[in-house]
Amino acid sequence: MLKRIEDYKKNLPVLEVYTAVQSEGSRAGYPTIVVRTTGCTHRCYFGEGGWCDSWYTSIHPEKGIYCFQDIIDAYDQHPHIKEMMLTGGSPTMHPKLVNELTHFAHERDIFITIETEGSHFLPTDYPINLLSISPKFSNSIPVLGAKTPQGAIVDERMIKKHNSKRVNTEAIKQSIEYHSDYHIKPVLDKDLSMVGEVEEFLKECNIPDHKVWAMPAGDDRESLMESYPEVMNFVRDRGWRFTGRSHIMAFNTERCV
Ligand code: SF4
């Protein structure tokens, strides 16, 4: 048995708990409850695609405001929802919380999708149903001198921190082996400059094409629209899968959607 949460009323590094429609990857279309953790070892910057769209959990992390009981209450209030999207930040930084969620999901027959960049292998008492892995390729490295969403200036330290656990292939292979299912969700810019790097990664991890869901870069409607056509056409010809980001198309930069 791995470590678990004992006090369900204690504040956790959970910043958001809300209902939504899953809009990325192979579970797209399912009503779900989103549990968003705060804290991340990365500092993703996608150039024209903008900063990490949940920068308030990563680059400028806010403090968590929910306890475990709040998550239970959310499911009690929406009994038709049998899905969970565990996202961040980087949820794998919080092993006790993730393990406790697998127990809760097991009792209630809830399907957990965890959004992860794949930096850490995290065992849980019950395997996670779906790892949605977005390895951070070189198009995510912050550019020296760029301004963060809250006005800090990118320096060497930030770049080093970002790169320290980037594309941890060993952790990713171990995670795939341990948990129930997975897909890889690379973020592609409109110029498709990352494709070579993605191909190398897939080869190293022995990942078949039908497990790859390419996602256009963009943290708002406008930037996303620009990369949609190129990424869709590429996927059509390459034989991967395409995933849009319908929550951004529907609600633009609104939070908790
Ligand atoms: S790994 Fe994910 S949460 Fe962390 S900075 Fe990058 S995009 Fe944001």
Side-chain angles (χ1 to χ4, degrees), residues 40 42-44 46 52 54 57-59 88-90 117 136 162:
C40 183
H42 292 65
R43 301 286 180 265
C44 295
F46 300 102
C52 158
S54 56
T57 68
S58 54
I59 295 139
S90 181
E117 75 296 337
K136 300 308 171 200
H162 178 76

Side-chain angles (χ1 to χ4, degrees), residues 6 16 19 21 28 59 68 80 82 165 168 202 209-210 217:
E6 279 149 26
E16 293 171 349
T19 54
V21 171
I59 295 139
F68 204 85
H80 65 289
K82 290 290 179 191
K165 290 199 162 43
N168 187 349
L202 298 176
D209 290 349
H210 71 276

Side-chain angles (χ1 to χ4, degrees), residues 22-178:
Q22 170 63 267
S23 68
E24 293 174 5
S26 57
R27 301 296 283 188
Y30 285 79
T32 189
I33 289 179
V34 180
V35 176
R36 187 183 298 281
T37 62
T38 182
C40 183
T41 42
H42 292 65
R43 301 286 180 265
C44 295
Y45 178 61
F46 300 102
E48 281 179 23
W51 285 94
C52 158
D53 60 2
S54 56
W55 54 264
Y56 49 94
T57 68
S58 54
I59 295 139
H60 304 294
E62 295 173 11
K63 209 169 170 316
I65 51 170
Y66 289 98
C67 65
F68 204 85
Q69 188 60 47
D70 293 324
I71 299 170
I72 297 174
D73 293 347
Y75 280 91
D76 287 344
Q77 284 157 18
H78 305 94
H80 65 289
I81 299 184
K82 290 290 179 191
E83 297 268 324
M84 179 187 298
M85 180 168 72
L86 179 54
T87 188
S90 181
T92 54
M93 288 171 76
H94 311 293
K96 270 209 261 183
L97 167 63
V98 177
N99 193 39
E100 195 65 33
L101 287 170
T102 67
H103 280 263
F104 172 68
H106 179 76
E107 281 160 24
R108 302 266 188 124
D109 198 21
I110 290 164
F111 186 103
I112 299 187
T113 301
I114 186 170
E115 299 268 339
T116 175
E117 75 296 337
S119 311
H120 307 91
F121 164 60
L122 183 62
T124 45
D125 286 330
Y126 295 101
I128 290 166
N129 302 92
L130 180 68
L131 304 170
S132 179
I133 305 170
S134 294
K136 300 308 171 200
F137 296 104
S138 60
N139 63 340
S140 68
I141 300 174
V143 173
L144 200 65
K147 227 184 218 183
T148 69
Q150 287 189 347
I153 303 295
V154 174
D155 57 13
E156 294 288 357
R157 219 173 106 245
M158 190 187 285
I159 295 172
K160 204 169 159 200
K161 184 169 174 56
H162 178 76
N163 282 332
S164 64
K165 290 199 162 43
R166 203 169 60 73
V167 198
N168 187 349
T169 49
E170 283 318 304
I172 290 173
K173 284 190 232 174
Q174 228 179 333
S175 304
I176 287 173
E177 185 69 30
Y178 185 90

Side-chain angles (χ1 to χ4, degrees), residues 63 77 84 106 193 198 204 213 235 238 251:
K63 209 169 170 316
Q77 284 157 18
M84 179 187 298
H106 179 76
S193 55
V198 178
E204 188 179 342
W213 293 70
V235 165
R238 174 61 183 78
F251 304 107

